[in-house]
Amino acid sequence: MSVLLEKHIVELLHERNDKAISLLYEHYGDTLFGVALKVVRDEELAQDVLQESFVKIWKKSDSYDSSKAKLFTWLFRITRNTAIDKLRSVNTKTTKEIQMDVSDVYTLGVNSTRPEFMDVKENLEKIENKYQIVLEALFFEGMTQQEASDELNIPLGTIKSRLKIGLRELKKIYDPD
């Protein structure tokens, strides 16, 4: 690409002229697609990455400084970083989905986890009230730790500590040795 054309594209970018994106796509689109494809190794994902990259390029166009990097280097970095982010996002999502599939939460017998068939509530009364309240909120009312913190007006860190101590106290009751 000629230096004059590159300068023209940069000027158009700084002016927020739509023509800049067309010229960028025309002159760099295939190469940037190749960069994305090399990272994500999937054509459909690479197309998504390319589109997201051009959106970022447009939004960050005023941050490009020709004294720090050539235009292609700047475009390359944005595309490569976007591809890496996309790959991490897809891998994290896949990992979470896999964990859901291998989880035994859904295969436990219902009777084995219902508190009314166990003496937990009875033994819960044997520990200090501040731990009882937290354990009841979390296990019998189905609140998350954050919800319990909000509902009980207790700091989240205190909820976590009381949960840990409360479970330790229950363990002493069930396993005194």
Side-chain angles (χ1 to χ4, degrees):
M1 166 173 287
S2 75
V3 176
L4 289 176
L5 182 57
E6 187 173 310
K7 282 184 179 183
H8 179 64
I9 292 172
V10 172
E11 287 172 8
L12 292 173
L13 272 174
H14 286 297
E15 294 169 4
R16 305 292 257 168
N17 187 320
D18 294 345
K19 182 76 173 149
I21 290 295
S22 298
L23 288 171
L24 283 173
Y25 189 80
E26 181 181 327
H27 293 282
Y28 295 104
D30 291 340
T31 306
L32 295 176
F33 176 77
V35 170
L37 185 59
K38 186 167 184 147
V39 174
V40 297
R41 300 180 190 272
D42 178 275
E43 286 194 24
E44 196 171 309
L45 271 181
Q47 290 171 355
D48 288 348
V49 167
L50 186 62
Q51 182 176 358
E52 288 175 28
S53 297
F54 273 99
V55 169
K56 287 180 182 179
I57 289 163
W58 181 253
K59 287 181 178 178
K60 296 179 178 186
S61 63
D62 57 336
S63 70
Y64 172 69
D65 183 355
S66 60
S67 67
K68 292 182 179 177
K70 290 188 173 194
L71 180 62
F72 177 75
T73 305
W74 184 70
L75 299 171
F76 172 86
R77 285 183 186 148
I78 291 173
T79 304
R80 184 174 176 275
N81 290 341
T82 304
I84 290 168
D85 290 345
K86 177 66 87 174
L87 193 59
R88 285 180 183 152
S89 171
V90 168
N91 286 342
T92 301
K93 184 178 177 184
T94 303
T95 302
K96 286 179 182 173
E97 288 172 1
I98 289 170
Q99 288 174 349
M100 291 297 291
D101 291 343
V102 297
S103 172
D104 63 353
V105 169
Y106 302 108
T107 59
L108 290 174
V110 173
N111 292 343
S112 67
T113 58
R114 291 180 56 191
E116 58 265 26
F117 292 113
M118 302 186 316
D119 57 354
V120 173
K121 282 189 178 185
E122 181 181 305
N123 285 318
L124 195 59
E125 294 172 7
K126 296 177 184 175
I127 66 174
E128 283 185 63
N129 190 43
K130 62 183 179 181
Y131 305 125
Q132 283 181 34
I133 292 169
V134 170
L135 291 172
E136 285 176 358
L138 297 174
F139 294 109
F140 297 107
E141 295 178 31
M143 292 183 192
T144 64
Q145 291 178 356
Q146 184 63 57
E147 290 169 340
S149 172
D150 296 341
E151 182 73 25
L152 300 172
N153 200 24
I154 299 172
L156 183 59
T158 305
I159 291 286
K160 292 176 184 222
S161 297
R162 288 183 183 175
L163 169 63
K164 184 177 179 179
I165 294 167
L167 289 174
R168 189 179 321 136
E169 293 300 309
L170 277 178
K171 183 178 181 194
K172 289 179 187 175
I173 294 169
Y174 284 102
D175 188 16
D177 297 329

